[in-house]
């Protein structure tokens, strides 16, 4: 299932990569923040039209989690777009890609994930590949600072999805996230008035970007992260600029450069490291909840989906009640909550 999830996530990043040369042309006529607001509004409306009941099927906890994730992702989009007005596109792409470094740090702190040396090596190689692909001079200013905060929020979104996403709730969570992002972007762009696309060609581009790189991409990412760790997700997602370069060459009229080839190979090497590297110990795979029931009272243990994790009998003692045994998959430091 992890291989399928990785392929889905690669498809998501490919759709993101396909959007770069389209967006570069579109934002010359539509302000970036207005474009994002319209894009996610269309994506949210279409998803709600297709599956209106999926959000209602979410538990109250899943609804709150989806709203929080949408809030984090929406604010990140606003900050990244605002920062882009004072930052070169290549530098913005590199700073945004720093989530590949921030994600394992947040996963280690917030989820108590253990990251292997091989995975850290993949993170460093991916980060280097981003630098080779993106950087041509660098300075730190207001736009760069905003973009870095956006990168932290993107990393937090990845970690949050890794902790909360489930295969059953993927559709409902995705729809709610898209709707929250649309509301945030509409509120942010409303004070100056929202500029809409002015031609049929521009509307076609916006609808494509709403359906694939926005709505379906977030759905694919949410489903994939129900099966992948946050760190693995971040490394796979660094292929986005590689796909962007491929589409720019194939459809955007750009030329292949040595830097493009070298950076792309480094990112692919990072993916190879994380795919075939040894996994003798837990490296922060997706936590799961294992239920222990006793006369209608249930407790849950957080545990990694990883070969080699310890399976043991344990007991759960509800407040004021007697214990009940069950089987859970555990790692050092896990507890029943």
């Amino acid at each position: 299932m992890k291989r399928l999830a990785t392929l889905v996530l690669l498809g998501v990043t490919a759709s993101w990569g396909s959007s770069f040369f389209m967006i570069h042309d579109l934002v010359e006529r539509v302000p970036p923040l207005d474009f994002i607001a319209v894009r996610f509004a269309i994506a949210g409306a279409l998803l709600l039209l297709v599956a209106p009941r999926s959000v209602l099927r979410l538990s109250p906890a899943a609804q709150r989690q989806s709203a929080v994730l949408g809030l984090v992702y929406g604010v990140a989009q606003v900050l990244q777009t605002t920062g882009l007005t004072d930052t070169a596109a290549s530098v913005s792409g590199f700073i945004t890609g720093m989530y590949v470094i921030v994600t394992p740090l947040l996963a280690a702190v917030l989820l108590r994930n253990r990251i292997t040396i091989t995975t850290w090596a993949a993170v460093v190689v991916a980060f280097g590949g981003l630098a080779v692909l993106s950087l041509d001079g660098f300075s730190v200013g207001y736009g760069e600072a905003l973009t870095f905060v956006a990168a932290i929020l993107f990393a937090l979104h990845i970690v949050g999805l890794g902790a909360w996403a489930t295969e059953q709730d993927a559709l409902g969570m995705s729809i709610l996230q898209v709707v929250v992002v649309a509301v945030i972007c509409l509120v942010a762009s409303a004070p100056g008035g929202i500029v809409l696309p002015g031609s049929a060609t521009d509307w076609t581009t916006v609808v494509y970007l709403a359906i694939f790189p926005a709505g379906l991409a977030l759905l694919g990412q949410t489903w994939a992260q129900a099966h992948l760790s946050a760190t693995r997700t971040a490394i796979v997602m660094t292929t986005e600029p590689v796909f962007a370069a491929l589409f720019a060459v194939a459809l955007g009229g750009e030329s292949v450069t040595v830097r493009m080839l070298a950076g792309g190979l480094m990112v692919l090497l990072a993916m190879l490291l994380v795919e075939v590297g040894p996994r003798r110990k837990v490296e922060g795979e997706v936590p799961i909840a294992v239920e222990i029931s006793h006369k209608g009272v249930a407790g849950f243990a957080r545990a990694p989906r990883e070969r080699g994790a310890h399976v043991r009998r344990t007991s759960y003692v509800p407040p004021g009640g007697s214990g009940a045994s069950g089987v859970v998959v555990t790692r050092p430091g896990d507890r029943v909550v």
Side-chain angles (χ1 to χ4, degrees), residues 20-40:
F20 274 67
F21 75 96
M22 299 181 191
I23 293 173
H24 183 269
D25 177 63
L26 185 63
V27 295
E28 293 181 358
R29 296 178 294 279
V30 180
L33 200 55
D34 296 356
F35 153 69
I36 293 175
V38 174
R39 173 187 178 187
F40 278 93

Side-chain angles (χ1 to χ4, degrees), residues 34-60:
D34 296 356
F35 153 69
I36 293 175
V38 174
R39 173 187 178 187
F40 278 93
I42 293 173
L46 290 175
L47 288 174
L48 281 173
L49 184 64
V50 171
R53 296 183 180 179
S54 58
V55 175
L56 299 178
R57 294 194 193 103
L58 295 174
S59 67

Side-chain angles (χ1 to χ4, degrees), residues 269-337:
L269 175 60
M271 277 199 59
L272 184 64
L273 282 173
V274 81
E275 284 295 321
V276 304
R279 296 190 180 187
R280 291 171 296 177
K281 296 187 179 182
V282 177
E283 58 179 66
E285 293 296 341
V286 179
I288 58 175
V290 183
E291 185 175 3
I292 310 165
S293 299
H294 174 67
K295 296 181 180 179
V297 181
F300 295 90
R302 303 293 288 181
R305 293 179 187 166
E306 181 64 70
R307 291 191 300 271
H310 301 292
V311 179
R312 65 176 175 82
R313 303 288 300 185
T314 190
S315 36
Y316 168 66
V317 183
S322 58
S325 64
V327 178
V328 296
V329 186
T330 63
R331 65 182 178 191
D334 284 340
R335 60 189 180 89
V336 176
V337 296

